[in-house]
Amino acid sequence: MNAAPFVLALHHTPARRAFAPMAVGIPALRRILTTIRRRGYRFVGVDAVGRAGLPERTATVTVDDGYASNMRHLRPLLRELDIPWTVFISVRTLGGRNLWDLNGVGHREGHMTQEELRTLAAEGVGVGSHGMDHEDLTRVSTAALAEALASSRAALSAIAGHPVDAIAYPWGRVDERVASAARMAGYRVGFALNDVGCVPPSLAAMAIPRTCIYSPDQILGLFASTGPWAPRPFRALRGAFARTGLALVTTALAARRLGGVRP
């Protein structure tokens, strides 16, 4: 059996089943996490990730964007299951809403507040950067890239009460320039989504791929059949989920920009 370690990526975590691409309800998450554990995997925190990656047969839970549902619903579940996790925050969304979760595409909800994030950090939940404005870092200037990396790290370190040394790149996108800049800015590890082939092995720790959990995973048995342990053709379905979800969101954002509203 494939015992390769892996990193999970979550987004919206509502109390019940939801149909937005990036939303997975708590009942399905409970089932998925229990399945992983039953397959002999041990859950570890982001601090266990080193230059060589994760130890064999381990899994790490990461959560992007810091939605209110992560605080209300995911936090109690992971506490009950005794699973460590790290939340990655876009600083300027704290306590507010964003413009990328669009009606009909995204699951519209607010983000956790600064005080809630401070509470999570005090409880031992990991805190990482997701940029300042959820900007695609591969598309900004070198100066803007350095500013976003440094400013978000400084702001989140102040809230968490300890140095933040992990980043999950907004939109899951990273290239060699971004990975190198993140290391120079003081980050120890960086997380993408799927395609990290453009990053050289010397920067592997700054471009760790993740297994994203999507709305279809709420179907009974789907994750168990397509998870990291599944045969390659079945695992490939996860890439199709990722491409479909991203296409929906980026198409909606493009339409919104044409209407004169910038995300």
Short mmCIF file of all heavy atoms in Angstrom, two decimals, residues 168-208:
data_model
loop_
_atom_site.label_atom_id
_atom_site.label_comp_id
_atom_site.label_asym_id
_atom_site.label_seq_id
_atom_site.Cartn_x
_atom_site.Cartn_y
_atom_site.Cartn_z
N ALA A 168 1.10 29.62 2.50
CA ALA A 168 0.36 28.91 1.46
C ALA A 168 0.07 29.95 0.38
O ALA A 168 -0.58 30.97 0.66
CB ALA A 168 -0.94 28.33 2.01
N TYR A 169 0.57 29.73 -0.80
CA TYR A 169 0.48 30.74 -1.85
C TYR A 169 -0.98 30.92 -2.32
O TYR A 169 -1.66 29.93 -2.61
CB TYR A 169 1.37 30.35 -3.03
CG TYR A 169 2.79 30.11 -2.61
CD1 TYR A 169 3.31 28.81 -2.53
CD2 TYR A 169 3.63 31.16 -2.26
CE1 TYR A 169 4.62 28.59 -2.13
CE2 TYR A 169 4.94 30.94 -1.85
CZ TYR A 169 5.42 29.65 -1.78
OH TYR A 169 6.71 29.42 -1.37
N PRO A 170 -1.45 32.18 -2.38
CA PRO A 170 -2.81 32.41 -2.86
C PRO A 170 -3.04 31.80 -4.23
O PRO A 170 -2.17 31.82 -5.10
CB PRO A 170 -2.89 33.95 -2.91
CG PRO A 170 -1.91 34.40 -1.87
CD PRO A 170 -0.78 33.42 -1.95
N TRP A 171 -4.21 31.22 -4.39
CA TRP A 171 -4.60 30.51 -5.61
C TRP A 171 -3.75 29.26 -5.86
O TRP A 171 -3.84 28.65 -6.92
CB TRP A 171 -4.55 31.43 -6.84
CG TRP A 171 -5.39 32.66 -6.68
CD1 TRP A 171 -4.95 33.93 -6.40
CD2 TRP A 171 -6.81 32.74 -6.74
NE1 TRP A 171 -6.01 34.79 -6.27
CE2 TRP A 171 -7.17 34.09 -6.48
CE3 TRP A 171 -7.82 31.81 -6.98
CZ2 TRP A 171 -8.50 34.52 -6.45
CZ3 TRP A 171 -9.14 32.23 -6.95
CH2 TRP A 171 -9.46 33.57 -6.70
N GLY A 172 -2.91 28.90 -4.89
CA GLY A 172 -2.08 27.71 -5.03
C GLY A 172 -0.95 27.85 -6.01
O GLY A 172 -0.28 26.88 -6.35
N ARG A 173 -0.67 29.09 -6.46
CA ARG A 173 0.29 29.31 -7.55
C ARG A 173 1.65 29.74 -7.03
O ARG A 173 1.76 30.67 -6.23
CB ARG A 173 -0.25 30.35 -8.52
CG ARG A 173 -1.48 29.87 -9.28
CD ARG A 173 -2.09 31.00 -10.09
NE ARG A 173 -3.23 30.54 -10.85
CZ ARG A 173 -4.27 31.30 -11.19
NH1 ARG A 173 -4.29 32.58 -10.81
NH2 ARG A 173 -5.28 30.81 -11.89
N VAL A 174 2.68 29.08 -7.52
CA VAL A 174 4.06 29.41 -7.14
C VAL A 174 4.97 29.11 -8.32
O VAL A 174 4.68 28.24 -9.14
CB VAL A 174 4.49 28.59 -5.90
CG1 VAL A 174 4.50 27.09 -6.19
CG2 VAL A 174 5.84 29.04 -5.37
N ASP A 175 6.04 29.88 -8.44
CA ASP A 175 7.08 29.59 -9.42
C ASP A 175 8.42 29.78 -8.72
O ASP A 175 8.48 30.06 -7.51
CB ASP A 175 6.94 30.48 -10.67
CG ASP A 175 6.92 31.97 -10.36
OD1 ASP A 175 7.41 32.37 -9.27
OD2 ASP A 175 6.43 32.75 -11.20
N GLU A 176 9.50 29.63 -9.46
CA GLU A 176 10.82 29.71 -8.84
C GLU A 176 11.08 31.07 -8.21
O GLU A 176 11.64 31.17 -7.11
CB GLU A 176 11.91 29.40 -9.88
CG GLU A 176 13.31 29.41 -9.30
CD GLU A 176 14.36 28.99 -10.30
OE1 GLU A 176 14.00 28.66 -11.46
OE2 GLU A 176 15.56 29.00 -9.94
N ARG A 177 10.65 32.13 -8.87
CA ARG A 177 10.86 33.48 -8.33
C ARG A 177 10.15 33.66 -7.00
O ARG A 177 10.72 34.16 -6.03
CB ARG A 177 10.37 34.52 -9.34
CG ARG A 177 10.55 35.97 -8.89
CD ARG A 177 9.97 36.93 -9.91
NE ARG A 177 8.52 36.91 -9.92
CZ ARG A 177 7.74 37.90 -9.53
NH1 ARG A 177 8.26 39.03 -9.10
NH2 ARG A 177 6.42 37.80 -9.60
N VAL A 178 8.90 33.22 -6.92
CA VAL A 178 8.12 33.38 -5.69
C VAL A 178 8.67 32.51 -4.58
O VAL A 178 8.82 32.95 -3.43
CB VAL A 178 6.63 33.05 -5.96
CG1 VAL A 178 5.84 33.01 -4.66
CG2 VAL A 178 6.03 34.08 -6.92
N ALA A 179 9.01 31.26 -4.90
CA ALA A 179 9.55 30.34 -3.88
C ALA A 179 10.86 30.88 -3.32
O ALA A 179 11.09 30.84 -2.10
CB ALA A 179 9.75 28.96 -4.49
N SER A 180 11.71 31.39 -4.18
CA SER A 180 13.00 31.94 -3.74
C SER A 180 12.78 33.18 -2.87
O SER A 180 13.43 33.34 -1.82
CB SER A 180 13.85 32.28 -4.95
OG SER A 180 15.08 32.83 -4.55
N ALA A 181 11.86 34.04 -3.27
CA ALA A 181 11.58 35.26 -2.50
C ALA A 181 11.00 34.91 -1.13
O ALA A 181 11.31 35.56 -0.13
CB ALA A 181 10.62 36.16 -3.28
N ALA A 182 10.16 33.88 -1.07
CA ALA A 182 9.58 33.47 0.21
C ALA A 182 10.67 32.98 1.16
O ALA A 182 10.66 33.32 2.35
CB ALA A 182 8.53 32.39 -0.02
N ARG A 183 11.59 32.22 0.65
CA ARG A 183 12.70 31.76 1.51
C ARG A 183 13.52 32.96 1.99
O ARG A 183 13.90 33.04 3.17
CB ARG A 183 13.57 30.77 0.76
CG ARG A 183 14.81 30.33 1.56
CD ARG A 183 15.53 29.19 0.89
NE ARG A 183 14.80 27.93 1.07
CZ ARG A 183 15.17 26.78 0.50
NH1 ARG A 183 16.21 26.74 -0.31
NH2 ARG A 183 14.47 25.68 0.73
N MET A 184 13.79 33.91 1.10
CA MET A 184 14.57 35.09 1.47
C MET A 184 13.83 35.93 2.52
O MET A 184 14.45 36.60 3.34
CB MET A 184 14.86 35.93 0.24
CG MET A 184 15.85 35.30 -0.73
SD MET A 184 17.52 35.22 -0.03
CE MET A 184 17.92 36.95 0.06
N ALA A 185 12.49 35.88 2.50
CA ALA A 185 11.68 36.67 3.43
C ALA A 185 11.58 36.01 4.81
O ALA A 185 10.97 36.59 5.71
CB ALA A 185 10.29 36.90 2.85
N GLY A 186 12.15 34.82 4.96
CA GLY A 186 12.17 34.18 6.27
C GLY A 186 11.22 33.01 6.44
O GLY A 186 11.12 32.46 7.54
N TYR A 187 10.54 32.62 5.37
CA TYR A 187 9.65 31.47 5.47
C TYR A 187 10.47 30.17 5.39
O TYR A 187 11.42 30.07 4.61
CB TYR A 187 8.60 31.50 4.36
CG TYR A 187 7.62 32.64 4.49
CD1 TYR A 187 7.83 33.84 3.80
CD2 TYR A 187 6.52 32.55 5.33
CE1 TYR A 187 6.95 34.90 3.92
CE2 TYR A 187 5.63 33.61 5.45
CZ TYR A 187 5.85 34.78 4.75
OH TYR A 187 4.98 35.83 4.88
N ARG A 188 10.06 29.20 6.16
CA ARG A 188 10.74 27.91 6.21
C ARG A 188 10.15 26.92 5.22
O ARG A 188 10.85 26.12 4.61
CB ARG A 188 10.65 27.34 7.63
CG ARG A 188 11.33 26.01 7.86
CD ARG A 188 11.15 25.56 9.31
NE ARG A 188 9.74 25.41 9.65
CZ ARG A 188 9.03 24.30 9.42
NH1 ARG A 188 9.61 23.25 8.85
NH2 ARG A 188 7.75 24.25 9.77
N VAL A 189 8.80 26.97 5.07
CA VAL A 189 8.10 26.07 4.15
C VAL A 189 7.02 26.84 3.41
O VAL A 189 6.49 27.85 3.92
CB VAL A 189 7.45 24.87 4.89
CG1 VAL A 189 8.51 23.92 5.42
CG2 VAL A 189 6.54 25.34 6.02
N GLY A 190 6.71 26.37 2.21
CA GLY A 190 5.66 26.99 1.41
C GLY A 190 4.80 25.91 0.78
O GLY A 190 5.31 24.86 0.39
N PHE A 191 3.50 26.19 0.67
CA PHE A 191 2.55 25.20 0.15
C PHE A 191 1.84 25.73 -1.08
O PHE A 191 1.37 26.86 -1.11
CB PHE A 191 1.52 24.84 1.22
CG PHE A 191 2.14 24.19 2.43
CD1 PHE A 191 2.50 24.96 3.53
CD2 PHE A 191 2.37 22.83 2.46
CE1 PHE A 191 3.08 24.37 4.64
CE2 PHE A 191 2.94 22.23 3.58
CZ PHE A 191 3.30 23.00 4.67
N ALA A 192 1.76 24.88 -2.10
CA ALA A 192 1.02 25.19 -3.31
C ALA A 192 -0.20 24.27 -3.37
O ALA A 192 -0.61 23.72 -2.36
CB ALA A 192 1.93 25.00 -4.52
N LEU A 193 -0.76 24.09 -4.56
CA LEU A 193 -1.79 23.08 -4.71
C LEU A 193 -1.22 21.90 -5.48
O LEU A 193 -0.65 20.99 -4.90
CB LEU A 193 -3.05 23.66 -5.35
CG LEU A 193 -3.89 24.52 -4.38
CD1 LEU A 193 -5.16 25.02 -5.04
CD2 LEU A 193 -4.23 23.75 -3.11
N ASN A 194 -1.30 21.91 -6.79
CA ASN A 194 -0.88 20.71 -7.51
C ASN A 194 0.39 20.88 -8.33
O ASN A 194 1.36 20.15 -8.15
CB ASN A 194 -2.03 20.24 -8.43
CG ASN A 194 -3.27 19.86 -7.65
OD1 ASN A 194 -3.21 19.02 -6.77
ND2 ASN A 194 -4.39 20.49 -7.96
N ASP A 195 0.43 21.84 -9.23
CA ASP A 195 1.51 21.96 -10.21
C ASP A 195 2.69 22.74 -9.62
O ASP A 195 2.64 23.96 -9.51
CB ASP A 195 0.99 22.64 -11.47
CG ASP A 195 2.05 22.70 -12.56
OD1 ASP A 195 3.10 22.03 -12.42
OD2 ASP A 195 1.83 23.41 -13.55
N VAL A 196 3.75 22.02 -9.25
CA VAL A 196 4.95 22.68 -8.72
C VAL A 196 6.17 22.31 -9.56
O VAL A 196 7.31 22.46 -9.12
CB VAL A 196 5.19 22.31 -7.24
CG1 VAL A 196 4.06 22.83 -6.37
CG2 VAL A 196 5.33 20.79 -7.07
N GLY A 197 5.94 21.85 -10.78
CA GLY A 197 7.03 21.39 -11.64
C GLY A 197 7.98 22.49 -12.05
O GLY A 197 9.11 22.20 -12.48
N CYS A 198 7.57 23.76 -11.94
CA CYS A 198 8.42 24.88 -12.35
C CYS A 198 9.40 25.28 -11.25
O CYS A 198 10.21 26.19 -11.44
CB CYS A 198 7.56 26.07 -12.74
SG CYS A 198 6.45 26.62 -11.42
N VAL A 199 9.34 24.64 -10.10
CA VAL A 199 10.22 24.98 -8.98
C VAL A 199 11.32 23.93 -8.87
O VAL A 199 11.04 22.74 -8.83
CB VAL A 199 9.42 25.05 -7.66
CG1 VAL A 199 10.34 25.32 -6.48
CG2 VAL A 199 8.34 26.11 -7.76
N PRO A 200 12.61 24.34 -8.84
CA PRO A 200 13.71 23.37 -8.80
C PRO A 200 13.77 22.61 -7.48
O PRO A 200 13.26 23.08 -6.46
CB PRO A 200 14.95 24.25 -9.00
CG PRO A 200 14.54 25.60 -8.49
CD PRO A 200 13.08 25.73 -8.84
N PRO A 201 14.40 21.44 -7.47
CA PRO A 201 14.49 20.63 -6.26
C PRO A 201 15.11 21.37 -5.07
O PRO A 201 14.76 21.09 -3.93
CB PRO A 201 15.36 19.44 -6.70
CG PRO A 201 15.14 19.33 -8.16
CD PRO A 201 14.96 20.74 -8.65
N SER A 202 16.01 22.31 -5.35
CA SER A 202 16.65 23.04 -4.25
C SER A 202 15.66 23.88 -3.45
O SER A 202 15.93 24.28 -2.32
CB SER A 202 17.76 23.94 -4.80
OG SER A 202 17.22 24.89 -5.71
N LEU A 203 14.49 24.15 -4.04
CA LEU A 203 13.45 24.93 -3.37
C LEU A 203 12.22 24.07 -3.07
O LEU A 203 11.13 24.61 -2.85
CB LEU A 203 13.04 26.12 -4.25
CG LEU A 203 14.07 27.25 -4.39
CD1 LEU A 203 13.64 28.22 -5.47
CD2 LEU A 203 14.25 27.98 -3.06
N ALA A 204 12.39 22.76 -3.03
CA ALA A 204 11.25 21.86 -2.85
C ALA A 204 10.45 22.15 -1.59
O ALA A 204 9.22 22.07 -1.57
CB ALA A 204 11.72 20.41 -2.85
N ALA A 205 11.13 22.52 -0.51
CA ALA A 205 10.44 22.80 0.74
C ALA A 205 9.58 24.06 0.65
O ALA A 205 8.69 24.27 1.48
CB ALA A 205 11.43 22.95 1.90
N MET A 206 9.83 24.90 -0.36
CA MET A 206 9.07 26.12 -0.54
C MET A 206 7.93 25.95 -1.56
O MET A 206 7.25 26.92 -1.91
CB MET A 206 9.99 27.26 -1.00
CG MET A 206 11.14 27.55 -0.06
SD MET A 206 10.62 27.81 1.67
CE MET A 206 9.47 29.16 1.47
N ALA A 207 7.71 24.74 -2.03
CA ALA A 207 6.66 24.50 -3.02
C ALA A 207 6.12 23.09 -2.83
O ALA A 207 6.21 22.24 -3.70
CB ALA A 207 7.19 24.69 -4.43
N ILE A 208 5.54 22.85 -1.66
CA ILE A 208 5.02 21.52 -1.33
C ILE A 208 3.60 21.39 -1.88
O ILE A 208 2.73 22.21 -1.55
CB ILE A 208 5.03 21.32 0.20
CG1 ILE A 208 6.47 21.41 0.72
CG2 ILE A 208 4.39 19.99 0.57
CD1 ILE A 208 6.57 21.47 2.23
#
